[in-house]
Amino acid sequence: MPTPSSILAGRERALAEVDLEAIRHNVRRLSRDLPAGAVHCAVVKANGYGHGAVPVARAALEAGSRWLGVATATEAEELRDAGLDAPVIIFGPMTGAELERAARARADVVVWSAPFARAALRLGARCHVKFDSGMGRLGVDEEHVRELARLLASGPSSLVGLMSHFATADEADTTFFEYQLGRFTALARELKAAYSDLICHTANSAATIRSPASHFDMVRTGIALYGLAPSNDDPFKDGLRPAMRLSSYVAGVRVVQPGQSVGYGRRFVAERPSRIAVVPIGYADGISRALTNRGDVLVAGRRCRITGTISMDQLTVLLPEEHGRPGDEVVFFGESSGERILCEEVARLLRTINYEVVCDVSPRVVRRYRGAAPAA
Ligand SMILES: *Cc1c(COP(=O)(O)O)cnc(C)c1O
């Protein structure tokens, strides 16, 4: 009999494997239809949607991305601290202190108010004016965009870009998308006549895939960079390759008898003798507690149902007869022996989107990278 330690050698309790070749493939796919001169911005905010900002950024730049997009000054600093030199743009609002850190990190910033524009001018920061073409969050209308552009153009190199963001680019009904694109197209044309070097950009992943007319000078793709479908359907249909695979392993198997229960709240009570696998991954790793008694995993390549309450560090799975042993791999999303679970499937069960499923993979989960370029 093998000892438990020899059975389990080589497993991580919770492992996110990220395929950097998939990232490179997705960059090439997303750059395929760009007009001459237009560039790809790899959006690596939120730790690269859970995949790891720095390794993803490196792989994206290797495959031809020219810009990196983040949401906060801290995220821009992380890229600079890792030695990445590419232009970085920070999308989110910032306090004065954050703006100073952004300028020190040589990151471009997004501007939609005159006081912020003046502070950015004083710091010599490169700015992109945010046009609210219909998102209805931050950003300003045409008139205020013109004013901000004039103000920023008084600095040596402060006026760099014009940007906007789509609210419905992933939806089947394109009416509002076309409305936003029309407004952006008109304003971009007008401002480029006055400022010929202006970089105009508005496409997220969904728009990049759907509409070449939305590409302008740069596209900013997040979700599709990671091989996930912007509309939460099948990413393979759009020629994308999912980069992340999330797994754990069977730490133990027990047989419960009729009437016996498993886990907190006794949410599973056996009606017949049942084999239950205990898997050392839980909601603190990013497996939503809402998957209690729902959702499949692949145990050694075969679909099995999550059964019983998901706890912080463990969950339980009902095993079919004769299948599943301690040490077997358990895959939450990704491929295993020709079977596959997509993040999109998990997201639908949770009534959310794939973005949230990967962002939830917590820091406690070990990241392992495949396909890294050899060190120079
Ligand atoms: C996050 C973000 C994106 C990327 O959106 P995806 O739908 O993930 O492609 C693009 N632009 C801005 C301003 C963003 O904040």
Side-chain angles (χ1 to χ4, degrees):
M1 275 283 276
T3 64
S5 61
S6 74
I7 291 171
L8 304 181
R11 292 267 181 249
E12 293 286 352
R13 63 169 289 277
L15 176 66
E17 291 164 279
V18 177
D19 179 0
L20 297 173
E21 191 45 42
I23 300 285
R24 290 189 204 94
H25 164 88
N26 295 328
V27 169
R28 292 189 290 263
R29 157 67 187 90
L30 294 162
S31 307
R32 194 181 66 193
D33 306 320
L34 296 185
V39 295
H40 181 259
C41 172
V43 178
V44 295
K45 63 191 179 189
N47 195 31
Y49 292 39
H51 293 63
V54 168
V56 167
R58 281 215 178 90
L61 293 167
E62 284 157 12
S65 299
R66 298 283 290 280
W67 285 69
L68 301 171
V70 295
T72 71
T74 305
E75 290 173 342
E77 288 168 338
E78 190 195 346
L79 298 174
R80 293 295 184 234
D81 289 347
L84 293 170
D85 242 10
V88 171
I89 175 169
I90 302 174
F91 300 133
M94 280 183 276
T95 64
E98 288 167 334
L99 175 57
E100 284 179 26
R101 285 168 42 210
R104 265 201 305 278
R106 293 169 288 114
D108 290 26
V109 302
V110 177
V111 171
W112 54 86
S113 82
F116 193 89
R118 280 190 283 269
L121 268 172
R122 272 196 303 278
L123 290 165
R126 292 160 41 98
C127 298
H128 301 242
V129 180
K130 182 154 186 155
F131 170 41
D132 180 14
S133 58
M135 180 62 137
R137 296 189 311 195
L138 300 166
V140 289
D141 64 13
E142 285 86 346
E143 202 37 56
H144 288 96
V145 168
R146 291 181 193 106
E147 278 171 28
L148 288 170
R150 264 195 301 279
L151 177 59
L152 290 169
S154 68
S157 56
S158 300
L159 178 63
V160 173
L162 169 72
M163 70 174 290
S164 192
H165 198 44
F166 290 113
T168 63
D170 56 331
E171 290 178 13
D173 182 341
T174 62
T175 315
F176 196 73
F177 172 77
E178 298 292 346
Y179 163 77
Q180 284 195 273
L181 181 57
R183 280 182 76 185
F184 187 80
T185 304
L187 189 58
R189 192 171 296 147
E190 174 194 322
L191 290 185
K192 270 195 185 254
Y195 313 103
S196 56
D197 293 337
L198 199 66
I199 303 172
C200 296
H201 50 103
T202 189
N204 57 5
S205 294
T208 300
I209 291 169
R210 160 183 286 183
S211 164
S214 73
H215 291 172
F216 296 91
D217 303 309
M218 176 160 87
V219 299
R220 312 182 302 254
T221 74
I223 199 70
L225 174 65
Y226 305 99
L228 303 174
S231 50
N232 206 62
D233 58 14
D234 181 353
F236 291 93
K237 278 199 307 213
D238 288 319
L240 301 169
R241 271 196 222 154
M244 190 193 284
R245 181 177 187 271
L246 180 66
S247 66
S248 179
Y249 67 90
V250 176
V253 177
R254 63 146 51 209
V255 178
V256 289
Q257 299 300 334
Q260 284 187 318
S261 63
V262 172
Y264 287 116
R266 309 193 69 209
R267 296 283 298 278
F268 172 74
V269 181
E271 289 173 1
R272 61 190 70 86
S274 304
R275 295 173 65 243
I276 297 287
V278 181
V279 184
I281 187 171
Y283 61 76
D285 301 289
I287 306 295
S288 170
R289 194 167 172 280
L291 290 171
T292 291
N293 279 331
R294 306 170 68 214
D296 290 347
V297 300
L298 303 175
V299 177
R302 189 156 155 198
R303 274 186 184 258
C304 301
R305 181 56 52 85
I306 295 175
T307 296
T309 302
I310 292 180
S311 45
M312 187 183 290
D313 317 307
Q314 295 176 26
L315 54 79
T316 41
V317 173
L318 181 63
L319 295 173
E321 244 167 87
E322 308 286 315
H323 184 79
R325 284 202 304 264
D328 278 354
E329 188 184 47
V330 179
V331 170
F332 290 80
F333 48 80
E335 222 180 287
S336 177
S337 308
E339 264 286 352
R340 177 152 60 210
I341 293 177
L342 294 174
C343 286
E344 287 79 3
E345 172 185 337
V346 180
R348 275 192 297 273
L349 269 177
L350 290 169
R351 296 177 187 286
T352 182
I353 50 177
N354 45 12
Y355 294 70
E356 194 176 7
V357 173
V358 283
C359 283
D360 276 354
V361 175
S362 80
R364 192 164 79 173
V365 177
V366 173
R367 266 71 173 172
R368 188 178 292 159
Y369 295 93
R370 288 191 286 128

